[in-house]
Structures are given as structure tokens and as C-alpha cells.
Amino acid sequence: MILFMKRLFVWAFFLIGFVSLGYSELVLSNVFTRNMVLQREAKNPVFGTAAPGATVNGTFNGQAFEATAEQNGAWLGWLEPMPANREGADLTVESGGQRATVQGIVVGDVWYAAGDYGLVKGMNQGEAKLAKEAPVPDVRLYLSRMGTSPYPLMEHTTASMYSIPDEKSYKRFSPVSYAFAETISAVSEVDVPIGFFNASGRFGLMGALPASAAAHLKHPANQDLALKMREAWVAAPEGQAAYAAYAQAMRKWIAHSRERVAAGLQLQAMPKPPNAEMEFGDAFNARVHPIRLFPIRGVIWYVFDRTNYSDSDQGIDRYEALIKSWREAFNNPELPFYIVQHHYPSGVVNAPNPQGGLTLMQQELLSVPHTGLVVTYDLHDRKEWDLANRYDAGRRLALWALRDVYGQPVEPMGPAFKRFTVADGRALIEFDYVGDALMAADKDVFGPPVNKGGARVDGFMIAGADGNWHWAEAELAGKDQVLVWSEKVADPARVAYAVNNSPAKPNLYSGNGLPALPFSQGRTE
Amino acid sequence: MKKFISFCIYLCAAPALVFSSALQTADLFGDHAVIQHGREVPVWGWANPGDQVTVAFAGQSATATADKRGEWEAVLPPLEISKEGRAMTVTSDQGESLEYTDVVVGDVWIASGQSNMGFPLKASLDSERVSKNPDNLIRFFLPPVEFQIYPIERYSKPVKWEPGTEALTWKSAVAYFFAESVRQEVDIPIGFYLAARGGTMIQPFMPMEAHLHLADVEERNVQNLKAALRQRDPSVPASRSEHIESLDRMAAWVDSLETSIASQQPFRGMPTPPGGSGGNLGNLSGLYYSFFNPMERFPIKGMIWYQGESNGGDHGTYVYYQEALINSMRSTLNGGGDFPFYMVQLANYGPDKKIPGAGDGNVGVREAQRVVAMSMKNTGLAVTHDIGNPTDIHPKNKFDVGRRLARWALNRDYGRKDILVSGPLYERQEIKGNEIVLHFAYTGSGLIAGTKTGIEPVVPVDGPPERFAIAGEDREFVWADARIVGHTVVVSSPEVAEPRYVRYAYSASPTGNLLYNREGLPASPFKTDPW
């Protein structure tokens, strides 16, 4: 009960705080908060609200800027590109004798960490052990409250803070973000403060899809959703009409409420805005949209999607719409988007049934420019949705950033299917991204893959023309090929790898220690 | 476009705004509806003010005139049980008419609570058997799951009755197994009004009256509630001026909204509406408003309830909340007075620390639920601490949960007096020297120690029941020796010369040989001490 009352008080506190914001006071958006990281070598926005028409003057690190509040009170100024700077500086804005200051703002590289609770949940023992092996990086994670909104908001629903790990507190930090920052910081050219905006918690694909994604949904099974989105998208004709109707209904409700107040009667239900049920975009609207003007470096995505798609094309369509609409929102058509791949949360599967649906579907996103994908089937305990080892997922995400964003000569991906031919009734699979050479390695969830020199490869399945799958024997055959066969299949028609939790763990790695990508493929013509 | 129009209708659904002129009924009346038998049935809806509306169903009819707000209510006399789906027609003297098909007459139960009540059949043990034989006479009505900050008359979006043949595997497993168990004995259609929301404390389910009934519990809290109620009551002069100021701010916000819409700019967040927002006041009764306000008139048989995980910390006070909820719902809902209210006791969850009488985890809520079931009329309790999962707050065995709940209904409401309602529920203790004798209700044909796995029946074991702890006035609980003597359990310990109190299975996840009756129903955890 005491807890409940406490919650009430906390709420009351925020509400009172909110109400007291008049529409004429100078406010620096609550996104600007102590220990924030701004993006180096790019223009950074500074924004807030003030009386309509008011002039706002700001300074940061020797730079000055000016902005004018629009009719709805919003003002926006820009800081010119700056080099990285670990020394915290003050950001100050002034208008009509009012003044607001935020201290300790540094300049470095800013990423967006989008994920469900598994992204931010503190490190487990194994992860903490991995973290301890490296120095604590200069990384700051924006801890946003779990706001949601049916429509895009100008700022976060409540002020947040940055969490900075140190020798003692690092275990409480998000292992994915921490490992990403640690891996990047280990490269000397990239040794700058790393900041993360963050939209984690109750967060999934639907919550991340803004209404503007309507423009990108092509699949027939997504058209109902697209229509609903257009009704909640202020830039669409349907949205214009729906919001205008909502504003009008609100006016009527206010007028009606005034009558009831005069008569001493309790008020009645308020009209609802489009997307009141927040079927989509609620997290985007409250958590992502308010910071869309920041020139972030890219997005890392750690979400275990539990949607039942009608087919994988429907899912791909949604993910592509997600990536496109976020790129539009951040006004960067090449915004890097790196995805932690699904695995299979079921226990060990004894029958050779492919379960690759979402996993393989996400792989198709690699054909979208500036995306990356991190394979995870060797990082989980085959029971839980969350990965057991999120630390290595973070490290693998960093490889994509190192290659694509920071220009480092790394291979970000493990062996990927290239060609399937048949010789003597056996399938011969050729791979790209093999490093020096393919290896069959043992890997404990937290350890590195260990090549004991064996040739036997696990995790393959094979099917003949009848489509019946069988567990397959497999063997390394040279630098970039694997031979796959089963005595039950005379003429192989399909081969699959790591598309379920096979009794023997899939163990095909590149020479760089990265796992092979799951696949299910027919013969190459 | 059609969708858009219906969307606009609901957008404007605030009661004072004029409804579209078409004849309408509340959503509870529609195709595949289940109507409560044996009770007068108010059928209500909307038409143009002054229109005369006639409802005809099951050979009965009733007529009403729409009032100046356009609302009408016609009352059908009590109806006989009918498995045959028949048509309900609603006609107005303006020539408008509605026809609903496949309407049956049986019992309507509310199934309410948290995620374990919402837990779908699909994910439950024994669901495959069910999905092969869907039962068309088990039907569900699922109102929108949302918080409202003011009472509502109509749902925020259209809702339909769904027959058992439709998407059954997504419906509540507890409710389904309850109904299945009832229907194996009594051939009656059963409709569920599923009002469940995951991760929610009991408070938002309670009508405002219930919060006020709590006056004796926590004076400070009630003062806050009363202040909150005053704050939202415009007849109080101070609140009136606050309401007006708040409406002014909202009007300014709508101005900025319209500017933003025109310029396609992001919106400011809405200011706090008069009297508070969903964040504070809505939490008091926010789910009552959304789930129950729109159906208060709809006749029901009773309610099954599975809630408490989110109140896991309210050890001392949950009992008062549960009582207040039951009392107030019995007065606000149309269940004919003290309608049956059957609770699921929280399942075992969390590690078994094996500390005598530990009192950890959710056991405090379990105790509150036992106390309510033992003290309030027409209530019952399905004990489940033997069928949960220490590592999953959403245990998969909903089969036994539903069946154990159904025993109460079968015995109390469906005339099957031969069915035992429950496992042993502690009644009183007798201190006899260095022993304490424990007396129970519902010992059935005798007490046993047993174990249970999955949905298999309980297996009796040799040896005494475990998990009894005993203490003297020093409150130091130690494990007790327990033995079954007739329909009692006698406990003692050589370490406690003058025993005063007993705790049984009083921890997060009690394991071991537990106390059952021979019918295979578990004893509820309990404590006899006042701490």
C-alpha cells in the first residue's frame, strides 16, 4: 500500500510539474540533461518551447546560436559541427530575461539502442566476467522513462538521466550497449565518448513503427495496418481529417464539460485521438520522435519479435518499413541499422523440422543497404527468449559499426551461403566470409570458439525432392566448402543449417570466430 | 472509408455528443450473445429521442421510449435456459430494425483479474485436446483493455460476442476449463465477460465506492482518496475553479493542436484533464470504468477472479481490498445481490528457501485470499500452490485451476452437492500441551500427504505431510513434526515446549509432501499467528 501511495505521489509530482509549465515560459527540452553526449562533426539541434514569437539565444562551448519560437511555442536552434570533447561544457539558453542551463555535456559519437527489456537488463555473471576483461569505456546511456503516446511528441514525457558505468557499477549497465562501446573504443581512432539514446523496456516492432511507415508498407497483408496508420499520420489526408475531427470533438467536449462544471456535475468520457489504442508507434512517438533531429551515428536493434506473420514477406515488409521510416525520421537515408538476429527459444528439437521463420526472414534485411545482422544461435541457452550472452551480441554489433562507420578492415559477418552443388549424391555447400578458412569449433555460451582441428560439422539438415528433412552428416571440405549428406537422401534437393535447436549444436565458424549464418537453400542452378 | 466513418462515430462517443441517428443497442446484445437465464433482462440502447423501441426475443417482448438523450431500456421477463440459438429483434416506430442471430440463454460469468486470467488456452497444458473439439456454447465477450479516467457508458470501440468455435485458443484458459468442467455436469450455455489486464494491482478494478469503503483500513489513504474525489467533483467550489482553469488549458492545447495539424508539426502533450489524469485518479478505478461501467446493468451469474500478483507486497492490506472489491461489485453489478465470487489463490512462484514459516513471495496474498474465502458469503477459493512454476509467474497448468474453481460453482450454484468444493481450509487451532491440533473445513473423505505433477491426479505418499512450522511466543518458527489424526493434523516440535502458533506451506514455493484430502485437493497455506 505504501508503495502504491508512493507511486501516486510520484505521479502527482510529475503531473504538477507538467501543469505548471505555462505556454510562455522558456523551456529547454527535457532531452537535454546532464552528462549528455552530442554528436561530433555534425550539426546538433537545441530546442524547447517559449512564448510564441520569442527570440531565444544560446551558447555552448564558445558557440552562440539564435532561434525564434513558432506559433505553437516550439523553437529550434543549431550548433555547428564540433570535434570530440571529453570535457563537459555548459549549454545555456536565454529569452526575455529567462535562462536555462544544462551542465556537463560532452561531444563524441551517439548511437540509438532500441530494444526490449533484454537490452537494458543488467549483466548476468557470465557477461560481467567478459566486461571485466576490458577497461571500462567512456559510455553514457540515456535512461528514458517508458513513455508512450498515440501521436508523435515534441519531447519525452518525463526528464531522464544518463547512466555512466564505472569499475563498480558496470554490472548494472546494458551489456549490449556496453560491449558495443567497449569494442569500438578499443580501436584508437574511435576513442571518443559514446552516448546512447535508448528506447527500451516494453518495446517491440509495432511500438517502433511510426504512423509514417504507412508509406512504405507494400504487402497486401499489411494494408489494414497501413490504413490505420494513415488515419494517425498527420501528413496523410486521412490523418488530417481524423485529427481535425478529433480536435473538433475535443472542442465540443470542452464546451460540454464547461456546462457540466457549471452545473456541478462530474465530467464524462473524453474523445479519443486516432490510434488511441496505440496499436503501433506508441514507443516511437514518445521515445524516438523527440530526439529525431539529433545526427546519430546509427541504430542497434535488439528486439525479440513474437508476431505471427502470415508469411515471411509480410514480416520483411514491416521491417523494411521500420528501417525506411526511421531513416526518414532521422533525415539520414543511409542511417546504419544493425539487428540482433532471432534465435529459437524452444528447447532442443529432436525431429529435423526447420523453425527458421523469423530468423531467416531477418537475414533478408541484409540486402537493404547499411544494415547489419548479428547471428545469435550460439549465444543462448535454448530456453529463454533473452540471450544468455548479450555481451558478445554487442561485440558483434560493433564489428558492423567498425567496418561501415569507422572504416576499419574487419569482416563483420560469419560464413554465408553462396552455392549448393551436388557431387556423388552429396551436397557441396560453398560459403562467403570464411576468414582464413572455415572451421568446426566448440563454443561454450560465454567462451570463444575453439578449433580442435576436427572436420565434422553439426547443425545441418538435408531433404530430397520429397521435401522430408533428415539430420545430415557434414564435413569441412577445403577452405570454403562443406560436404553434406544423409544415407536417407539419395539426391539432395535442399540443405538447411542452424534453423532450429538441433541436438548437436551448430558449430560452423569463419576463421575469425564468427558463426555461419543460418540458411535453408535449394540447389543452385 | 467505412472504417473511417465508424472510427469517427466512436471518436464522438462521449455520451452528451449526439449519437448517430440509427437505432443501436449496447454491444452486449449482438450475434452469438449469451443472456443470463432466470433474471429480468434489461436491454438498452440508443435511438432518436422519443422513438418507441420494441425488443422481441424468446417469445417475449418489451417496449420502451427513448429519453431526451436518446437512450432507451426495455426489460424482458426472466428467460428459460436455451441452447438453441434464436434471433433477437429490436425495432423502432420509425421503421428501423436490428436483428441479432444465434442468441442463447444460459449463465454469464465475469472472468476478471491479471494476466493469469487472460492467459490463453493456446499456451496452457491440455490445449490440444480442446482445440480439436471447440464448444460452441462457451462464448466470450472481450471489452477493450484500457484505463479510463471517467466512467464510460459505451466501449471505446465495437465489441462482439465470439462463439466457442472462433479463435477459442486465444481465450482465457482458466475460464474455459471452468466452463468445460461445469458443462460436463450441467448442460447450460456459458458466456464469459473477460475483464483481465496483465500487471495490474487490484485498486483500478475497484469501483470508487469500494475505495471509500476502505475508510477503516488506512485513514491516511482514505483522506487522500477523498481529497482526490473532491478534486474531481465540480460541485465543490475549489474544484470548480480548478476545473475551469484546466479546461482553459485544454482549450489552449486544442488551439496549438490545430496549428500543429495544419502545419503537420508534432503535437504538444495534452495537459492534465480536470480532476487528474489516467496516471493518478485513473489508477483508482480506471479499469472499473472501462470494464464494468458499461455493463453494470447486464445480468450476470457470478464472477471468477485471478488477481494479486501485482499486489504481492500488500501482505497486511490485501484482505481489505479484496473484501471491498467484492462488496462493492455486488452492489454495482447486476448479479442479484451476493452473487458467487470464486477466487484463484496465487500459485507458487519464486525459489523455495526452505525457511520454516518464511512468509516470503506472494504467500501473504494467498493468506488474505484464504481469509476472504472463509469469511465472506458465497465466495470460494481454488488453491494452486501445488501447480504453479517457481520460475514462471504464468504457470501453464490452467486445467486444474479451472477444474478446482468449477467445483465451487457445481456444488453451490448447479446443485451438485456431491462434489467437494475445496481442499482443506484451516479453521481453528487447539493448543494441547506441547502439541497443536489443527482443524479444517473441507477435509472430504480424509486427509493425506501427496504430490502432484502436471495435470495428473495427486499421488498419495507414505509418511507425514511436510511444511508445517511451529513457534512459541518468541516467534522463532522451526520445522514441526506433523501427523494426520482423523480429520485433524497434530503438530509439535521437541524444540518448542510451549507452542502457540503454526504456519503451513507459508512461503513463496512450498515443495515436498503437501497436505491434501483424499479427493486430491490441496490444503491452502495458512498461518495461525497474528504477525
Side-chain angles (χ1 to χ4, degrees), chain A residues 1 4 240 251 256 258 272, chain B residues 11 16 255 258 261 321:
Chain A
M1 190 58 224
F4 175 58
Q240 281 278 311
R251 279 200 193 291
H256 170 66
R258 288 189 196 281
K272 300 203 161 189
Chain B
L11 192 74
D255 289 343
E258 291 193 323
I261 294 168
Y321 285 106

Side-chain angles (χ1 to χ4, degrees), chain B residues 146 321 375:
Chain B
E146 59 194 9
Y321 285 106
S375 61

